[in-house]
């Protein structure tokens, strides 16, 4: 990002964080339009030119930005959340864990990683059926979520394997 436009050295990360939570658009003068590609790279939904602005265009652009943001957020959640248990899947766990580990390093803080495995899941599935096995996995995930803080990262790595990362 151009520091003359934003005026903050950490603006790029700030915009990325903001755009993850909210649909963002920028209204710019034509002479700043060369930055449009960069804006999109950090998560801005739309860049409007002041000269082209009208009420109808603004209304339509805001509606489209909100809808695109909703779909992007839904897709992101679908790709990071385990559909059976409702906690992070393998990809989600490691994505968020990596961010937390970088934060812990920056803050010089300890990180705790717990790995859990449910014994005899094959026997449970074979003896009582996969529906019972799924029930046990859902209950294990719910118990882990209740047992740890909301800020801890709880994930199902696959099958009957779970992990928790805590700072």
């Amino acid at each position: 990002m151009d520091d003359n436009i934003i005026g903050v050295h950490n603006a790029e990360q700030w915009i990325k964080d903001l755009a993850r939570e909210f649909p963002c658009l920028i209204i710019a003068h034509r002479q700043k339009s060369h930055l449009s590609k960069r804006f999109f790279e950090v998560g801005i939904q739309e860049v409007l030119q002041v000269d082209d602005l009208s009420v109808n265009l603004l209304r339509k652009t805001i509606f489209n930005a909100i809808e695109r943001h909703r779909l992007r957020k839904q897709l992101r959640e679908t790709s990071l959340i385990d559909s059976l248990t409702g906690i992070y899947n393998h990809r989600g766990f490691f994505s968020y864990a990596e961010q937390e580990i970088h934060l812990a390093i920056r803050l010089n803080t300890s990180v705790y990683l717990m790995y859990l495995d449910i014994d005899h899941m094959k026997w449970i599935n074979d003896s009582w059926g996969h529906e019972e096995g799924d029930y046990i996995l859902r209950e294990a995930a719910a118990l882990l979520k209740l047992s740890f803080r909301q800020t801890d990262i709880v994930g199902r790595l696959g099958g009957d394997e779970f992990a928790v990362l805590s700072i």
Side-chain angles (χ1 to χ4, degrees):
M1 280 284 148
D2 186 334
D3 287 334
N4 295 327
I5 302 278
I6 303 296
V8 180
H9 290 294
N10 295 327
E12 197 167 315
Q13 186 59 47
W14 181 77
I15 292 171
K16 282 181 181 178
D17 294 342
L18 188 65
R20 206 175 285 126
E21 297 300 320
F22 305 100
C24 296
L25 44 107
I26 289 182
I27 299 172
H29 289 284
R30 285 206 192 281
Q31 59 261 52
K32 305 299 182 191
S33 63
H34 67 282
L35 295 172
S36 294
K37 182 179 180 224
R38 196 75 184 117
F39 287 135
F40 292 128
E41 289 172 358
V42 296
I44 298 296
Q45 292 287 326
E46 192 71 54
V47 178
L48 293 172
Q49 304 298 321
V50 171
D51 302 337
D52 301 334
L53 204 55
S54 70
V55 173
N56 286 336
L57 177 61
L58 185 59
R59 183 183 300 126
K60 181 178 167 184
T61 304
I62 290 171
F63 175 80
N64 289 337
I66 290 169
E67 184 62 15
R68 251 192 324 272
H69 183 267
R70 184 188 67 75
L71 290 171
R72 182 184 290 168
K73 195 171 185 177
Q74 182 181 11
L75 179 62
R76 181 169 171 74
E77 287 174 8
T78 302
S79 71
L80 300 177
I81 302 295
D82 178 56
S83 61
L84 178 65
T85 61
I87 61 176
Y88 291 119
N89 61 20
H90 186 273
R91 176 184 291 132
F93 178 81
F94 284 104
S95 293
Y96 285 104
E98 183 179 12
Q99 291 175 16
E100 290 299 312
I101 290 168
H102 287 300
L103 178 63
I105 291 168
R106 191 167 60 236
L107 298 175
N108 196 26
T109 305
S110 297
V111 176
Y112 303 95
L113 176 65
M114 290 150 267
Y115 177 82
L116 304 104
D117 181 83
I118 300 176
D119 288 338
H120 310 296
M121 271 306 290
K122 181 174 175 9
W123 180 84
I124 292 168
N125 284 331
D126 291 347
S127 302
W128 295 346
H130 288 278
E131 289 175 7
E132 281 300 313
D134 288 352
Y135 173 78
I136 289 171
L137 292 172
R138 284 192 300 274
E139 289 298 308
L143 183 61
L144 288 172
K145 282 184 79 165
L146 283 173
S147 300
F148 292 93
R149 298 171 297 187
Q150 214 172 13
T151 54
D152 295 333
I153 301 168
V154 179
R156 178 176 172 215
L157 302 183
D160 59 355
E161 299 169 344
F162 296 85
V164 179
L165 184 89
S166 182
I167 293 181

